[in-house]
Amino acid sequence: MSPSAVLERYAGELARRPMSAGVGRLLSFNGLVIEASGPDVRIGELCEVENGDPAQAIRAEVVGFREGNVLLMPFGHPRGVAAGARIRALRRVLQVPVGRGFMGRVIDAFGQPIDGGGPIAAEAMADIARPPINPLLRAPLDTALETGVRSIDVALPMARGQRMGVFAGSGVGKSTLLGMMTRHVNADVVVVVLVGERGREVGEFIDETLGTVGRSRAVMVVATADEPALVRTNAVHTGHAIAEYFRDLRMNVLLIVDSITRFAMAQREVGLAVGEPPTSRGYPPSVFNLLPQILERGGRMRAGGSISAIYSVLVEGDDMNEPIADHMRAILDGHVVLSRDLAARGQLPAIDLMSSVSRLASKVTRPDELDLARRVKSIITTYESSRDLIDMGAYQAGANSAIDEAIVLYPAIVRALCQTPEQRSSRQESIQLLGRIVSGERAA
């Protein structure tokens, strides 16, 4: 072999191999995952992928390894990236800015403002994934959280630091209920995470559902449906990191994630792309491992401060037993079920009290308040179970005293539980109103 041929051979090998442990080369890209030779990195670290313009390098996160190669998922759309592109390790994990200046602002999954309001002064940088909280550092959940929604405050009372799920199909009033709680809840800060929403719905939620009052004390984290899967999952982590920052300031935080189902779908894309086996309905094991880690970031601390969390769960075809809904129901501290039938009747919020439960109700209510909640549920259950007979006129008055009572009280209870998004009722006012109805007095 001639000397020139030898030099060309070694030059080609040098071009294909990284010159240092911190630099790698792109080998392949399958639409979601970049496979690269190097750099020397760990799971979760950040890298930059060159795309022809050093100022426009694409950020990517290390998500796995395959046969000695590095697997990365880009945060942006990898247009302009060529085979053999240089990949540089940044030697850090993803962090987001946090601070009190974020209240009233709308940010993306990386903590950058997208509302046109200018830069936000950060007070600190926070890792989006924190280690689990020592269970012994948690305080008992024995203080009621006032939401301003009568159905919840009376029949499904929440505790400060509780994790509650809102289970609903599409178009049943889920976003409206979440907006009501954002505006009316008794909390210092509200962190709202919108994951996988259509761009049109984001503006509507902020301007119409949330409103000026709700937005003033809220931090909005947005990752729309067109964002890459890793961006959508990171939006949820970012929302929790911001909530933890305010909790560490001994503030009471309400965290709303809409929806955890779309987070699970995004994580499914990530898991399948790196080669995880599909299990239940195509969800890989990492989804069911990650969900409890996410939910355990909420709670109330002995040192002060709390994160009360509400996760909306989209149920496919109104199937409450689909995998994500079933898994979430098992690890949450309660669930609110929205009924399509109630929404069709005009009963809003369309909370199905017969299918909903708060596991901490007995911890935050007096015996008489707990008895009122049971009475309200019992009257509704009795009427609904006999609705067909009543509507057909087949029921004869006097045949059953419980049904007789339900026929008299049910309409007034339904009217009392209905609220427009703008209406707020304190917990004590709600208890007094329902108490008068159940005792047979005329509601004021």
Side-chain angles (χ1 to χ4, degrees):
M1 185 179 294
S2 66
S4 61
V6 173
L7 288 174
E8 289 179 4
R9 175 185 174 186
Y10 281 106
E13 286 296 323
L14 288 173
R16 285 190 293 271
R17 295 179 181 272
M19 298 299 292
S20 71
V23 178
R25 292 285 183 180
L26 187 149
L27 298 177
S28 66
F29 177 61
N30 67 1
L32 289 176
V33 174
I34 293 172
E35 187 167 350
S37 60
D40 183 11
V41 288
R42 300 177 180 180
I43 294 288
E45 283 192 38
L46 297 179
C47 296
E48 282 188 343
V49 184
E50 293 183 355
N51 66 345
D53 183 356
Q56 300 294 326
I58 297 171
R59 291 282 178 89
E61 182 178 320
V62 179
V63 294
F65 305 98
R66 180 185 294 140
E67 297 179 357
N69 293 328
V70 179
L71 303 180
L72 307 102
M73 292 197 76
F75 291 129
H77 297 288
R79 297 185 184 91
V81 174
R86 284 165 51 92
I87 298 175
R88 183 171 65 90
L90 298 181
R91 300 303 182 205
R92 61 183 177 85
V93 296
L94 184 61
Q95 293 183 314
V96 293
V98 292
R100 281 163 283 201
F102 284 81
M103 292 177 64
R105 302 298 300 273
V106 184
I107 61 176
D108 63 14
F110 308 103
Q112 300 305 311
I114 59 174
D115 55 4
I120 305 174
E123 298 174 359
M125 298 294 293
D127 291 344
I128 65 170
R130 291 177 62 169
I133 301 171
N134 185 332
L136 299 182
L137 298 179
R138 296 179 179 272
L141 305 184
D142 54 7
T143 303
L145 175 68
E146 188 173 301
T147 67
V149 180
R150 295 190 194 109
S151 298
I152 296 176
D153 286 342
V154 174
L156 306 167
M158 285 185 62
R160 198 176 293 281
Q162 183 172 348
R163 305 159 305 170
M164 185 77 87
V166 175
F167 292 69
S170 57
V172 188
K174 166 180 56 64
S175 296
T176 302
L177 175 60
L178 296 179
M180 290 176 64
M181 299 181 72
T182 302
R183 285 198 298 269
H184 304 324
V185 72
N186 183 16
D188 300 317
V189 184
V190 180
V191 179
V192 181
V193 184
L194 299 182
V195 183
E197 296 280 2
R198 293 182 286 270
R200 171 185 60 82
E201 294 175 328
V202 173
E204 290 178 354
F205 184 89
I206 294 173
D207 297 331
E208 300 175 13
T209 306
L210 197 59
T212 305
V213 176
R215 182 174 174 178
S216 63
R217 59 170 179 166
V219 181
M220 300 283 300
V221 184
V222 175
T224 51
D226 60 309
E227 300 276 9
L230 200 59
V231 175
R232 282 176 271 146
T233 60
N234 281 337
V236 175
H237 294 296
T238 296
H240 283 76
I242 293 172
E244 288 165 342
Y245 170 79
F246 287 110
R247 179 205 62 198
D248 291 343
L249 294 178
R250 299 189 177 183
M251 301 174 75
N252 295 312
V253 184
L254 175 67
L255 171 67
I256 294 178
V257 177
D258 185 17
S259 71
I260 199 68
T261 305
R262 292 197 180 104
F263 165 81
M265 290 177 176
Q267 181 61 34
R268 176 171 61 185
E269 291 183 41
V270 174
L272 294 178
V274 299
E276 284 191 70
T279 53
S280 180
R281 290 201 188 178
Y283 287 101
S286 64
V287 173
F288 302 102
N289 178 57
L290 194 55
L291 286 175
Q293 295 180 37
I294 290 287
L295 269 63
E296 283 299 313
R297 296 175 72 171
R300 184 179 172 204
M301 307 301 293
R302 292 186 182 275
S306 65
I307 298 176
S308 307
I310 298 176
Y311 300 90
S312 73
V313 183
L314 288 171
V315 289
E316 300 177 6
D318 292 341
D319 178 12
M320 295 295 172
N321 295 315
E322 59 93 21
I324 299 302
D326 189 57
H327 192 70
M328 288 292 292
R329 192 164 49 242
I331 54 181
L332 286 165
D333 300 318
H335 52 273
V336 175
V337 178
L338 300 187
S339 165
R340 194 173 300 278
D341 289 340
L342 295 181
R345 295 179 204 163
Q347 182 177 328
L348 299 174
I351 298 175
D352 183 357
L353 296 181
M354 295 184 294
S355 303
S356 305
V357 66
S358 173
R359 295 178 179 174
L360 297 176
S362 61
K363 303 290 186 181
V364 297
T365 56
R366 301 193 308 267
D368 59 317
E369 295 172 346
L370 193 60
D371 182 64
L372 173 63
R374 290 170 178 161
R375 286 274 292 139
V376 169
K377 286 185 175 182
S378 175
I379 291 169
I380 291 175
T381 301
T382 300
Y383 187 92
E384 292 293 345
S385 63
S386 307
R387 175 178 285 276
D388 290 342
L389 290 175
I390 297 170
D391 289 347
M392 290 187 301
Y395 175 74
Q396 297 295 321
N400 185 300
S401 60
I403 297 177
D404 291 339
E405 180 187 47
I407 291 174
V408 173
L409 299 181
Y410 178 84
I413 289 176
V414 169
R415 285 194 300 270
L417 295 180
C418 286
Q419 282 179 262
T420 63
E422 296 77 21
Q423 287 181 324
R424 186 191 189 281
S425 178
S426 71
R427 183 168 181 268
Q428 197 57 41
E429 290 172 344
S430 300
I431 290 173
Q432 291 175 356
L433 173 61
L434 270 298
R436 289 196 299 268
I437 293 174
V438 168
S439 64
E441 298 180 24
R442 183 180 299 274

